[in-house]
Amino acid sequence: MTAHALELRNLRKSFGKTEIIRGVELAIEKGRIHAVIGPNGAGKSTLYNLITGLHPVTSGRILLKGADITDKPPYEIARRGLSRSFQVTNIFPRMSVLENVRCAMLWDLGYRYSFWHFVGRRRDLAERSEAIMEQTGLGSRRNVPAGLLSYSDQRALEIAITLASGADVILLDEPTAGMSRSETEQAVALIRKISQDRTLVIVEHDMGVVFDLAETISVLVYGQIVASGPPAEIRANTAVREAYLGPEAA
Amino acid sequence: MAGLARRSGIWLAAVAVVLVLPWIFSSGFAITTLNQMGVLIIFSLAYNMLLGQGGMLSFGHAVYFGLAGYSVAHVLNGIGAGTLPYVPVSLLPLVGGLVGLLFGIPIGFVSTRRAGTVFAMISLGFAEMMTALTLILIVFFNGEEGVQTDRWAGPEPFGITYGPDIQVYYLIAAWCLLATLAMYALTHTPFGRMSNAVRDNPERLQFVGYSTHRVRWLAFALSSFFAGMAGALHALNVEHVGFETVGVGQSGLVLFMVWIGGARAFIGPIFGAVVIAFLNSNLSGITEAWLLYLGILFMVTVMFAQGGLSGLILMHESIWKTDVRLFRPMVRPYALGIGATIVACLGAIGLIELIYFMSTRSTRDTGTSLYSVPVDAASLLPWLVCAGVAALGAEACRRAYRPMAASYADAIETVKAGAAR
């Protein structure tokens, strides 16, 4: 049996006495687009923070491509090929778009903490950053300080940084939050494009986007996965309807 | 290729300036000032690796400057006494750098685990500790007297004795150019870029595979190396290293220089070091209140010009790059604004000097001179004139600043509109 891209085993997290994640079991297959949905406060962001090492877990295990990454520091996890975007734009505001993208690929291309290479003279850096900026439509903005970009360009940069690290497992946190209809369409097209040789996990509130993109959907309610399956199955599931629309509707 | 030629052009120009300067300013006093500038340029560029590029506010960077200074003084004395093997005096700045590195590595490891306030407090703690040690570890620091040394030690390769100050000038100039070039090059390496990234957003940095602690630690260690180099040159320059070189005072001075010059641009600290060294050697002879003026200058830049002096110039960069003619409508409002500021300063400085004179005079004589004009500080007239000039200047500033800002905003609007097209 080949290992899953990402596997959560009986994952739990408490903040003080409140248990936010209550025994999550989740297996994400390689090369899939897997959406995690759930009402506000279900624990979706906490789940991401546990997977990426931002918070220590209370109990349970997290496996990335079969290897245990539970409670490793975020940079260790990133080096093993897991990358995430943030719901609230999290970029390097005083650096240019090109610098932002380039910073994200330095480790993966083996530059580590080098102080004897010039970033402007390396062909591998130039090629990959060109490709990433092209893919995310940021080419014409390359020299603009990231803090001055428009909101939708900053969202695109958020994804560009996430991609640039060369990770094959990518966690997107509400990639279309706050976008207009047409911007959302562009973002969906971009996500579909980048999903081709990668595993994608998406947390998203826009159900149109979720049912459009996802091959598998898991529903998180009060820190537990109540249902997992292909979109059609989830759409028909009573537990899901209950969680979203209240018991009367079900 | 054109970019490369232009950049090396700047460096060649710098070399030319450095070679020509002592011919223009050839007095002993001028050479001393220039030497001080060179030392402080290296020190403030090193400090800016932390503050401007890595986002770390240190109150104790003189520790590496001073320890290297003491060490080099001891090495020189050892060479002179024949107890230490000969090291060419020209290479002692490297020894100083290594001493800085030696202390920067372990202290950096401890203090860069956290950034922000914690980092600042730890750096302050180390500076205080060193000051205390100067009075305890007498063997090394020799208490309040400090360590005296003689740079004229050992053989004299090519007749270089470092006896005359001019030879020290070329030594400092050469190391200053080398160090500046090296620190500039560092900003273009993966380490340099990640250093900027840790300043901008330490959280995100971890998610692209980097340890914030490692990046900060490396920046700290390299910065200590260059601070040590500056300390070594300081020891060679003045042939004495005192307890004040490792303490909070010297650490504060470098923070002042970098902030006043501007921490955001690479050239900022150079600017700051030149201005402060110039004021230090010239103003301190003219007025006893010079530290007060330095403090006021610092406060004004903190409040109104966060990019420092270099920031004030660089904020016009996009204008001259677009079209120099855009400056034409700005000339008049700028001249008025700057003129008004000068008038206000002249008045205020006059008042400060009068107050200073009256409160610190040791004789009953109340005659002094203000701007080379003999005045009687006990009479009302000089006070009234100064107060009047200050008030006039302040009112002129109030009226002149708004049109000045408006003319800048207009020019920037034009630049932006041009860029959008």
Side-chain angles (χ1 to χ4, degrees), chain A residues 5 67-68 76 90 107 109 120 122 170 190 200 207:
Chain A
D68 195 338
E76 277 283 338
N90 203 346
W107 190 275
L109 289 173
R122 310 303 296 183
I170 288 179
L190 173 62
L200 247 62
M207 287 305 132

Side-chain angles (χ1 to χ4, degrees), chain B residues 285-341:
Chain B
I286 301 171
T287 165
E288 290 170 62
W290 109 266
L291 281 176
L292 177 68
Y293 297 127
L294 181 62
I296 293 173
L297 180 63
F298 179 67
M299 273 167 53
V300 169
T301 43
V302 168
M303 288 194 292
F304 302 111
Q306 267 113 46
L309 297 175
S310 63
L312 287 180
I313 295 169
L314 290 175
M315 69 192 267
H316 299 91
E317 189 186 11
S318 60
I319 301 177
W320 80 65
K321 276 194 174 160
T322 310
D323 189 351
V324 186
R325 278 172 298 180
L326 284 171
F327 281 123
R328 204 171 290 159
M330 298 169 71
V331 171
R332 210 180 110 85
Y334 268 56
L336 287 175
I338 294 167
T341 311

Side-chain angles (χ1 to χ4, degrees), chain A residues 113-228:
Chain A
Y113 301 99
S114 153
F115 49 89
W116 51 88
H117 292 104
F118 287 116
V119 287
R121 301 237 180 112
R122 310 303 296 183
R123 184 168 291 171
D124 50 353
L125 290 174
E127 277 169 3
R128 196 194 278 187
S129 45
E130 283 310 315
I132 300 274
M133 286 189 296
E134 163 85 55
Q135 207 172 14
T136 47
L138 288 166
S140 62
R141 295 265 174 278
R142 72 183 64 221
N143 291 322
V144 180
L148 301 183
L149 289 175
S150 69
Y151 178 76
S152 64
D153 279 345
Q154 287 192 349
R155 296 303 300 173
L157 180 58
E158 180 68 46
I159 292 180
I161 295 174
T162 310
L163 286 181
S165 68
D168 48 8
V169 181
I170 288 179
L171 274 52
L172 299 176
D173 197 351
E174 298 201 24
T176 68
M179 284 188 176
S180 71
R181 200 63 247 164
S182 67
E183 287 166 350
T184 302
E185 274 165 26
Q186 279 178 22
V188 168
L190 173 62
I191 293 168
R192 189 164 282 137
K193 200 157 62 175
I194 65 175
S195 71
Q196 271 161 13
D197 37 13
R198 298 181 179 93
T199 308
L200 247 62
V201 185
I202 301 180
V203 161
E204 182 57 64
H205 273 298
D206 186 329
M207 287 305 132
V209 172
V210 170
F211 283 97
D212 190 5
L213 276 174
E215 293 159 294
T216 314
I217 298 176
S218 294
V219 186
L220 186 70
V221 180
Y222 291 119
Q224 281 173 323
I225 300 283
V226 297
S228 246

Side-chain angles (χ1 to χ4, degrees), chain B residues 79 85-93 95 153 155 157 162:
Chain B
I79 295 171
Y86 172 66
V87 183
V89 175
S90 317
L91 295 182
L92 284 180
V95 174
Y162 293 119

Side-chain angles (χ1 to χ4, degrees), chain B residues 17 20-32 34 166 169 278:
Chain B
V17 167
V20 166
L21 271 179
W23 296 91
I24 302 171
F25 305 99
S26 55
S27 71
F29 175 73
I31 298 289
T32 312
L34 287 174
I166 185 72
Y169 169 83
F278 178 80

Side-chain angles (χ1 to χ4, degrees), chain B residues 30-102:
Chain B
I31 298 289
T32 312
T33 306
L34 287 174
N35 285 355
Q36 220 173 40
M37 278 179 191
V39 171
L40 292 181
I41 285 172
I42 303 179
F43 190 26
S44 36
L45 281 173
Y47 185 79
N48 204 37
M49 287 177 75
L50 293 183
L51 181 67
Q53 284 155 29
M56 285 174 273
L57 172 62
S58 164
F59 292 118
H61 216 49
V63 167
Y64 316 96
F65 178 89
L67 284 176
Y70 276 107
S71 306
V72 161
H74 285 300
V75 170
L76 265 179
N77 289 343
I79 295 171
T83 51
L84 277 182
Y86 172 66
V87 183
V89 175
S90 317
L91 295 182
L92 284 180
L94 267 188
V95 174
L98 291 176
V99 171
L101 194 63
L102 187 74

Side-chain angles (χ1 to χ4, degrees), chain A residues 2-201:
Chain A
T2 56
H4 287 107
L6 191 64
E7 208 180 332
L8 310 182
R9 290 189 190 158
N10 194 20
L11 195 66
R12 288 173 188 276
K13 175 68 182 177
S14 308
F15 289 102
K17 281 184 185 153
T18 328
E19 195 171 42
I20 302 293
I21 299 294
R22 305 184 300 158
V24 165
E25 295 276 349
L26 189 63
I28 288 161
E29 281 176 54
K30 273 187 181 152
R32 289 297 193 93
I33 303 184
H34 194 129
V36 177
I37 62 171
N40 281 326
K44 302 184 298 288
S45 289
T46 307
L47 200 62
Y48 267 22
N49 290 342
L50 293 176
I51 296 171
T52 54
L54 197 60
H55 296 325
V57 310
T58 305
S59 71
R61 293 218 298 153
I62 305 166
L63 304 175
L64 176 66
K65 292 175 268 181
D68 195 338
I69 57 162
T70 320
D71 288 339
K72 291 255 187 293
Y75 55 87
E76 277 283 338
I77 296 170
R79 288 171 198 173
R80 290 166 185 243
L82 183 141
S83 178
R84 71 171 288 184
S85 76
F86 289 79
Q87 185 185 339
V88 178
T89 306
N90 203 346
I91 53 181
F92 304 108
R94 280 167 61 189
M95 292 157 55
S96 71
V97 168
L98 171 63
E99 288 297 343
N100 268 269
V101 172
R102 204 155 55 183
C103 274
M105 64 184 64
L106 286 173
W107 190 275
D108 188 50
L109 289 173
Y111 289 100
R112 300 167 66 97
Y113 301 99
S114 153
F115 49 89
W116 51 88
H117 292 104
F118 287 116
V119 287
R121 301 237 180 112
R122 310 303 296 183
R123 184 168 291 171
D124 50 353
L125 290 174
E127 277 169 3
R128 196 194 278 187
S129 45
E130 283 310 315
I132 300 274
M133 286 189 296
E134 163 85 55
Q135 207 172 14
T136 47
L138 288 166
S140 62
R141 295 265 174 278
R142 72 183 64 221
N143 291 322
V144 180
L148 301 183
L149 289 175
S150 69
Y151 178 76
S152 64
D153 279 345
Q154 287 192 349
R155 296 303 300 173
L157 180 58
E158 180 68 46
I159 292 180
I161 295 174
T162 310
L163 286 181
S165 68
D168 48 8
V169 181
I170 288 179
L171 274 52
L172 299 176
D173 197 351
E174 298 201 24
T176 68
M179 284 188 176
S180 71
R181 200 63 247 164
S182 67
E183 287 166 350
T184 302
E185 274 165 26
Q186 279 178 22
V188 168
L190 173 62
I191 293 168
R192 189 164 282 137
K193 200 157 62 175
I194 65 175
S195 71
Q196 271 161 13
D197 37 13
R198 298 181 179 93
T199 308
L200 247 62
V201 185

